Amino acid sequence: SPKHVEVQVDDNGTTDGNFDVRAGSTTIGGGTLLMRVKGDGNVGIGTTAPGATLQIGTHSNTIPSNTALFVSINPIRFSTTNNNADYGSYLKPGYDAGPNPDVSVLTLGTRFSTTDTDVLTLYGNEVGIGETTPNSPLVVISPDNTDHNAIIGAYTNNLSVGVELHHYGLRGATTTADGSTVLDTNQKLMLDAKGTGHLLLQTYGGT
């Protein structure tokens, strides 16, 4: 048979100025708390003591008084085309208890066909791109080590002229960004690791 849930809006039987939205009971203060609006205007979902204008989930210690949105543990997700939840991006909070002291972590990632990929991670005071536990102020991990894929690039406004750092060294950018088209057969700059103990530095094309 069909079931229904009673939702009540009440003051929890107190005079503190708060009111609650609860489900599953007709008794004041009973049932499951769904949302609380405090007398100071703060709204809590999943918490009885919201410390921000909107708080989702519980917290410990003290939330800074100027906080507009506080989200506990779970990622914030954004959808893309046609509101399809299989695609989009996310912000994911976290921490690493391994180091001493613990490290606060915030990760920006993308979602494609239900697969999450962490792209950029703030790890304490260090930053990782393609790396979730960077051990230097900035760590960049390339998705592969093919010749035309730069790890870091600095270009002019058309992405065709500039300087690139590759897995084998430093070179002038002489191809399109995807490496498919050669723009200049003469290297303007090449600093290339040529094996253990060897380094090639030249200002023209060659091997």
Side-chain angles (χ1 to χ4, degrees):
S1 61
K3 295 182 179 181
H4 71 280
V5 175
E6 288 201 20
V7 176
Q8 57 169 308
V9 178
D10 64 47
D11 61 2
N12 198 25
T14 68
T15 58
D16 56 12
N18 301 340
F19 76 85
D20 296 344
V21 177
R22 296 174 175 270
S25 175
T26 58
T27 303
I28 292 178
T32 301
L33 176 65
L34 303 179
M35 181 176 69
R36 170 165 290 179
V37 180
K38 291 181 62 179
D40 60 8
N42 287 352
V43 177
I45 299 174
T47 178
T48 59
T53 304
L54 174 60
Q55 179 177 337
I56 303 173
T58 59
H59 72 280
S60 59
N61 297 318
T62 303
I63 298 175
S65 59
N66 60 348
T67 302
L69 173 65
F70 181 90
V71 180
S72 174
I73 302 300
N74 293 324
I76 300 174
R77 293 189 176 271
F78 310 90
S79 66
T80 53
T81 305
N82 299 324
N83 297 320
N84 188 340
D86 287 348
Y87 301 85
S89 55
Y90 57 87
L91 281 172
K92 179 175 63 176
Y95 74 98
D96 187 348
N100 186 16
D102 295 355
V103 174
S104 294
V105 182
L106 180 64
T107 299
L108 171 66
T110 58
R111 182 173 178 81
F112 184 83
S113 188
T114 73
T115 299
D116 287 349
T117 301
D118 295 343
V119 177
L120 184 146
T121 299
L122 304 182
Y123 184 82
N125 60 355
E126 297 170 339
V127 179
I129 300 176
E131 171 58 49
T132 57
T133 55
N135 56 5
S136 298
L138 175 62
V139 175
V140 182
I141 302 296
S142 176
D144 61 58
N145 61 359
T146 54
D147 286 352
H148 68 260
N149 278 335
I151 300 172
I152 299 175
Y155 308 96
T156 59
N157 60 0
N158 61 4
L159 294 179
S160 62
V161 179
V163 177
E164 295 175 340
L165 178 64
H166 293 248
H167 71 281
Y168 47 70
L170 181 70
R171 290 191 175 189
T174 59
T175 65
T176 54
D178 64 358
S180 61
T181 305
V182 175
L183 301 174
D184 187 352
T185 57
N186 293 316
Q187 290 284 348
K188 304 305 181 189
L189 170 68
M190 183 166 65
L191 179 61
D192 198 343
K194 302 301 289 184
T196 303
H198 299 282
L199 183 68
L200 172 66
L201 173 63
Q202 64 184 45
T203 57
Y204 60 89
T207 59

